[in-house]
């Protein structure tokens, strides 16, 4: 069959028009299928098991920053409307679960938590600016995401392809290095707010000044109860203790040499109950124990990091007495004065007082929350 030029052009136009209609129809069908698949998840409300109200009466004002709102540069930072948590959070039934202990531990009394409500489900790579600066603040930064496919919070990493609908980005306020500075706290806030604006996410941001004030109070409490108790085992005269002998005696009492160069008695969860260190600060090492000699060793109890520290102190004292007999050493304090039963009783009473104070302030010794503060 032979077509004239005009007939051929008309046929091509008709074919092109048909292709356009087909592409449009296919796109409409895909969008409809997507709504059917995910629409119920966007509309359903889920309880938020990750964040719980503080037990104490410490209140941190929360402000919601909406993308496009520009704070007045001459005014105080983040002068925007304050409001209650979004209705979605308040209405969620208790079906949300937390897959990662890190996310379960996030707490407004110990972390500066900024929540991002995404405009559309996205993987964690959308927080690109945060991943590049995660280690710039001197304290741990955690990112937790509420998964699109399930009502579950999990720790989010940049490489994950999981789609999330909300993020909680948390900066720890206090650890054994002290309290975070107000300047770094503001820097963190500005970074996350900038990311929220660039991805068109709503951001719920605590007040920096009030958060820093509460964090300073928490740091003062931690400094007050941060105690380590040591029992020194020192041989009489100039005799040195053999590294091999120390290792054998430690093993008899269930202590294992760990990567930090100390022997540890571990509980069922793998947490140290107390440790045995070299007084010289030189670490014990497997390959050099037969050449190792030390003028003394110390059994050490890290009070805030163990459950029931007074009970663990009793156990440490029993081990110290037995080791002292086995190694033929004296049990002495830091001034090399022999420890009496009365002196040990006074130390135990001090430990019990610290335990009580920590529990009164909702920091039970040895809990996961407390261990991260004293890290």
């Amino acid at each position: 069959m032979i077509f004239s030029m005009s007939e051929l052009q008309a046929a091509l136009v008709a074919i092109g028009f048909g292709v356009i209609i087909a592409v449009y129809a296919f796109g409409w069908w895909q969008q409809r299928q997507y709504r059917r698949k995910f629409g119920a998840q966007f509309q359903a409300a889920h309880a938020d098991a990750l964040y719980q109200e503080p037990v104490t009466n410490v209140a941190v004002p929360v402000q919601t920053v909406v993308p496009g709102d520009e704070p007045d540069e001459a005014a105080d930072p983040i002068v925007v409307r304050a409001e209650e948590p979004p209705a979605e959070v308040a209405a969620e039934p208790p079906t949300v679960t937390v897959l990662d202990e890190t996310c379960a531990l996030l707490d407004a009394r110990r972390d500066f938590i900024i929540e991002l409500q995404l405009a559309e489900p996205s993987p964690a790579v959308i927080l690109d600016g945060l991943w590049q600066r995660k280690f710039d603040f001197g304290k741990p930064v955690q990112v937790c995401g509420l998964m699109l496919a399930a009502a579950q919070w999990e720790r989010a990493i940049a490489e994950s392809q999981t789609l999330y609908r909300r993020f909680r980005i948390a900066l720890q306020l206090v650890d054994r290095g002290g309290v975070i500075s107000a300047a770094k706290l503001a820097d963190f806030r500005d970074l996350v707010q900038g990311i929220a604006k660039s991805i068109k996410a709503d951001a719920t941001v605590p007040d920096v000044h009030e958060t820093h004030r509460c964090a300073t109070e928490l740091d003062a409490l931690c400094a007050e109860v941060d105690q380590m108790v040591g029992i020194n085992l020192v041989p009489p005269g100039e005799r040195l203790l053999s590294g091999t002998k120390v290792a054998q005696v430690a093993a008899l009492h269930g202590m294992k040499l760990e990567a930090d160069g100390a022997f540890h008695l571990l509980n069922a969860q793998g947490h140290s109950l107390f440790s045995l260190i070299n007084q010289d600060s030189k670490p014990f090492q497997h390959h050099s124990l037969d050449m190792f000699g030390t003028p003394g060793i110390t059994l050490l109890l890290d009070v805030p990091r163990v459950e029931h520290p007074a009970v663990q102190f009793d156990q440490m004292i029993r081990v110290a007495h037995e080791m002292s007999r086995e190694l033929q050493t004296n049990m002495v304090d830091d001034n090399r004065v022999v420890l009496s039963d009365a002196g040990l009783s006074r130390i135990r009473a001090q430990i019990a007082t610290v335990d009580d104070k920590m529990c009164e302030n909702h920091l039970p010794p040895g809990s996961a929350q407390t261990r991260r503060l004293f890290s």
Side-chain angles (χ1 to χ4, degrees):
M1 183 180 295
I2 300 176
F3 290 99
S4 66
M5 183 62 68
S6 60
E7 291 174 332
L8 180 60
Q9 289 174 334
L12 290 174
V13 169
I15 291 171
F17 183 73
V19 170
I20 292 173
I21 293 297
V23 170
Y24 176 81
F26 181 70
W28 176 85
W29 179 82
Q30 275 192 319
Q31 187 177 28
R32 188 174 179 218
Q33 292 296 104
Y34 181 84
R35 284 200 195 99
R36 284 182 175 178
K37 185 175 182 180
F38 296 115
Q41 294 183 19
F42 285 125
Q43 295 171 4
H46 301 285
D48 193 342
L50 174 60
Y51 177 76
Q52 301 177 354
E53 288 298 323
V55 180
T56 60
N57 293 326
V58 178
V60 179
V62 173
Q63 298 166 321
T64 299
V65 179
V66 180
D69 288 354
E70 298 294 336
D72 183 355
E73 304 236 350
D76 290 335
I78 325 179
V79 183
V80 292
R81 71 178 185 276
E83 60 186 32
E84 295 299 318
E88 179 189 355
V89 175
E92 290 175 347
T95 56
V96 174
T97 57
V98 183
L99 299 182
D100 188 277
E101 184 186 52
T102 299
C103 297
L105 291 176
L106 296 186
D107 185 322
R109 293 167 294 177
R110 302 167 179 90
D111 303 277
F112 185 69
I113 306 171
I114 299 178
E115 180 165 323
L116 302 186
Q117 180 75 44
L118 303 184
E120 60 182 27
S122 302
V125 71
I126 198 172
L127 306 174
D128 182 53
L130 174 69
W131 303 120
Q132 296 174 8
R133 294 195 55 200
K134 186 177 177 182
F135 301 101
D136 289 357
F137 304 98
K139 304 292 181 194
V141 173
Q142 306 296 342
V143 181
C144 295
L146 182 61
M147 302 163 64
L148 173 65
Q152 295 175 326
W153 285 95
E154 70 172 7
R155 181 170 170 266
I157 59 175
E159 299 79 13
S160 174
Q161 296 303 309
T162 303
L163 293 180
Y164 301 102
R165 36 188 176 140
R166 295 214 310 263
F167 286 111
R168 283 210 172 112
I169 306 172
L171 175 62
Q172 188 169 321
L173 299 171
V174 174
D175 58 20
R176 269 185 165 150
V179 63
I180 192 167
S181 69
K184 286 189 175 180
L185 205 55
D187 188 22
F188 176 78
R189 175 204 61 193
D190 294 344
L191 171 66
V192 178
Q193 280 189 299
I195 293 171
K197 183 176 179 180
S198 68
I199 63 176
K200 297 181 173 58
D202 291 342
T204 303
V205 185
D207 180 77
V208 167
H209 302 294
E210 181 64 13
T211 298
H212 188 259
R213 183 190 68 78
C214 295
T216 301
E217 293 178 356
L218 176 61
D219 182 59
L221 170 65
C222 289
E224 182 180 350
V225 300
D226 192 3
Q227 297 186 17
M228 290 192 181
V229 176
I231 303 296
N232 302 306
L233 304 181
V234 178
E238 301 298 323
R239 179 170 64 90
L240 297 179
L241 295 175
S242 159
T244 301
K245 183 63 175 177
V246 170
Q248 290 173 346
V249 171
L252 286 175
H253 294 280
M255 305 185 77
K256 297 181 179 180
L257 182 56
E258 299 292 326
D260 62 355
F263 294 90
H264 290 266
L265 181 65
L266 306 178
N267 64 10
Q269 291 73 41
H271 302 136
S272 180
L273 298 177
F274 54 84
S275 60
L276 175 64
I277 64 173
N278 176 27
Q279 284 188 355
D280 279 352
S281 76
K282 181 180 177 182
F284 291 104
Q285 295 178 319
H286 287 289
H287 66 274
S288 61
L289 286 174
D290 57 345
M291 302 176 289
F292 195 93
T294 177
I297 54 178
T298 300
L299 284 163
L300 194 63
L301 177 70
D302 192 344
V303 175
R305 289 183 60 86
V306 298
E307 295 180 356
H308 311 297
V311 174
Q312 298 305 329
F313 177 72
D314 292 340
Q315 182 179 6
M316 188 175 78
I317 292 301
R318 287 195 295 271
V319 171
H321 279 297
E322 293 172 9
M323 283 189 169
S324 183
R325 287 194 298 269
E326 291 157 351
L327 295 172
Q328 297 181 348
T329 62
N330 297 319
M331 288 175 50
V332 300
D333 62 17
D334 290 340
N335 297 317
R336 293 199 170 230
V337 175
V338 174
L339 287 166
S340 64
D341 289 342
L344 293 173
S345 295
R346 285 193 296 271
I347 295 173
R348 191 188 192 283
Q350 292 171 356
I351 293 172
T353 299
V354 169
D355 188 354
D356 291 342
K357 188 173 187 65
M358 293 184 69
C359 290
E360 288 169 5
N361 287 275
H362 312 291
L363 284 177
S367 67
Q369 192 67 268
T370 302
R371 285 198 310 274
R372 74 184 184 111
L373 288 178
F374 292 89
S375 61

